[in-house]
Amino acid sequence: MPEFWCEDIDSKNFPMKVMIERDTLIDTARDDRPVKIKLYYPLLETDTRTGMVSSKLPIIIWSHGLGGSVDGAAFLSRFIASHGFILLHVQHHGTDSSLWEGKPGHPWDVIRATKIERSATLNRFHDVPFVLNQLPEWLKAHPQIEAIADLDNLGMSGHSFGAMTTQVMAGMMFPDEQGKLRRLREERFKAGIAYSPNPIDHLGLDSPEDVYGLIDLPMLHMTGTDDSSPIEAWDYTKRTDVYKNITKAKQHLLVLKDGDHMVFSGSRGKLGDNPNREKHEEIIKIGALAYWQASLNGDKAAQEWLSGDGFKEWLGDEATFE
């Protein structure tokens, strides 16, 4: 009996060669705002008769955390792309690495001392539909990617602040610059993964069910028992509030035993070495791949592995899943 939903899954195996393409899109409607993008995509074999690829691939957006960039989570995106997905990383100017680059001190200390304006957060959210709107024209200039990209099969994901961005795209309420709650749901997404889901009760909003309850996108939430906030003083249990208050779509929750905040981004920040890092990265990669296969590719075996006992048995004592 295979360990996973199919026999050829291995977290150290990359079945297809992965290519990378970078660019910067300019949003002229927002004062020429630059939006960097980085795509991971696999090289597919073409039909020798027609020169065409046999199938189109889902596109998954990745949104980085506070102070991050398009280069985060490479360990994860390269793996997922090698299994037949396009990973499109988006960089959000104003909440990205520009906050600390060239400034004295550790990036985390610089970020803690920086006030993030509401406008910067809202601009981050608006970057996602902007990129989606630009994609059809951008792909025309990149025919090798256009040939394999399925613009009708989209997933959304992100880490920490990027998880909040994912939650907003999924329908979570968020206050505008005047403090009025708005819903910025991006209807083109079919499913999402929130790595280190981000609660927003620190903004003084009403009950959690009124904020998170309008999320209607199927999602997988990933966190860990050591996934505390690098910026604010609360532990991982606050991150599960998002999952607990969603009733309009099927949700999954994965909690890594001793998993910390930075393991999802592939970097360490101010955290020390994590002896469980390799195992945790394996779980993150396998769990994410199974979820995307089930939710975007309609893979029934992957869905049964997740929803049945397969995933839980493989996790053993390393994580909980519900």
Side-chain angles (χ1 to χ4, degrees):
M1 184 176 179
E3 188 174 28
F4 302 117
W5 61 98
C6 61
E7 295 181 356
D8 59 349
I9 301 297
D10 185 336
S11 66
K12 295 182 174 64
N13 182 38
F14 296 76
M16 286 184 272
K17 183 177 181 180
V18 176
M19 307 298 289
I20 292 176
E21 186 75 35
R22 296 174 182 267
D23 206 345
T24 300
L25 308 178
I26 303 298
D27 190 348
T28 56
R30 289 186 292 162
D31 297 323
D32 290 338
R33 177 178 172 84
V35 182
K36 293 181 181 179
I37 59 173
K38 178 182 181 181
L39 286 88
Y40 296 82
Y41 65 97
L43 283 181
L44 297 185
E45 293 183 0
T46 58
D47 188 298
T48 55
R49 295 179 297 103
T50 65
M52 304 289 287
V53 295
S54 58
S55 61
K56 296 274 191 173
L57 306 181
I59 302 171
I60 301 165
I61 302 292
W62 168 271
S63 174
H64 61 77
L66 185 62
S69 74
V70 291
D71 293 321
F75 82 95
L76 176 60
S77 289
R78 188 178 291 275
F79 175 76
I80 300 296
S82 78
H83 284 272
F85 294 85
I86 297 170
L87 277 294
L88 198 171
H89 288 215
V90 178
Q91 187 157 329
H92 307 287
H93 183 68
T95 57
D96 63 347
S97 55
S98 65
L99 290 174
W100 55 266
E101 287 173 332
K103 298 177 183 178
H106 192 279
W108 281 19
D109 294 331
V110 176
I111 290 170
R112 286 192 185 103
T114 302
K115 178 178 172 55
I116 305 301
E117 299 293 340
R118 184 67 50 80
S119 58
T121 300
L122 294 171
N123 262 322
R124 158 187 276 266
F125 299 155
H126 291 308
D127 286 341
V128 177
F130 166 71
V131 168
L132 294 183
N133 292 340
Q134 296 299 305
L135 260 185
E137 195 64 29
W138 186 89
L139 286 169
K140 290 179 182 178
H142 300 80
Q144 77 281 15
I145 307 176
E146 183 184 35
I148 63 173
D150 186 352
L151 288 168
D152 295 321
N153 198 3
L154 302 176
M156 179 67 203
S157 66
H159 173 238
S160 195
F161 209 168
M164 181 188 288
T165 305
T166 300
Q167 293 157 209
V168 169
M169 294 301 105
M172 184 183 82
M173 301 293 282
F174 195 85
D176 62 18
E177 291 180 81
Q178 287 73 46
K180 184 176 182 179
L181 285 176
R182 302 285 187 181
R183 191 167 186 262
L184 302 174
R185 170 74 156 96
E186 176 47 73
E187 298 291 345
R188 285 171 282 191
F189 290 121
K190 292 185 176 180
I193 299 182
Y195 304 89
S196 294
N198 227 357
I200 61 169
D201 53 348
H202 63 286
L203 296 179
L205 302 179
D206 293 331
S207 56
E209 58 268 25
D210 293 335
V211 175
Y212 311 123
L214 287 180
I215 291 177
D216 59 2
L217 185 73
M219 290 175 62
L220 168 59
H221 307 246
M222 289 195 194
T223 184
T225 58
D226 287 343
D227 188 6
S228 58
S229 170
I231 307 299
E232 291 134 358
W234 41 260
D235 67 11
Y236 88 97
T237 57
K238 290 298 297 178
R239 300 191 187 280
T240 64
D241 285 351
V242 183
Y243 165 80
K244 292 174 181 176
N245 286 282
I246 302 173
T247 60
K248 295 182 180 295
K250 188 171 184 178
Q251 307 293 303
H252 299 78
L253 174 65
L254 173 69
V255 182
L256 296 168
K257 180 183 178 182
D258 301 325
D260 60 45
H261 188 66
M262 298 307 291
V263 73
F264 300 100
S265 69
S267 62
R268 299 306 299 155
K270 267 194 166 184
L271 300 181
D273 291 337
N274 181 351
N276 300 310
R277 180 175 178 177
E278 185 175 350
K279 181 61 179 178
H280 288 168
E281 287 189 354
E282 178 185 25
I283 292 172
I284 293 164
K285 290 193 287 187
I286 295 296
L289 177 61
Y291 186 74
W292 292 130
Q293 290 280 28
S295 58
L296 296 183
N297 284 338
D299 188 326
K300 292 184 178 180
Q303 181 59 64
E304 290 173 0
W305 186 76
L306 283 172
S307 299
D309 295 328
F311 192 27
K312 291 180 181 179
E313 289 178 358
W314 177 70
L315 289 171
D317 295 330
E318 300 290 342
T320 62
F321 180 72
E322 57 184 84

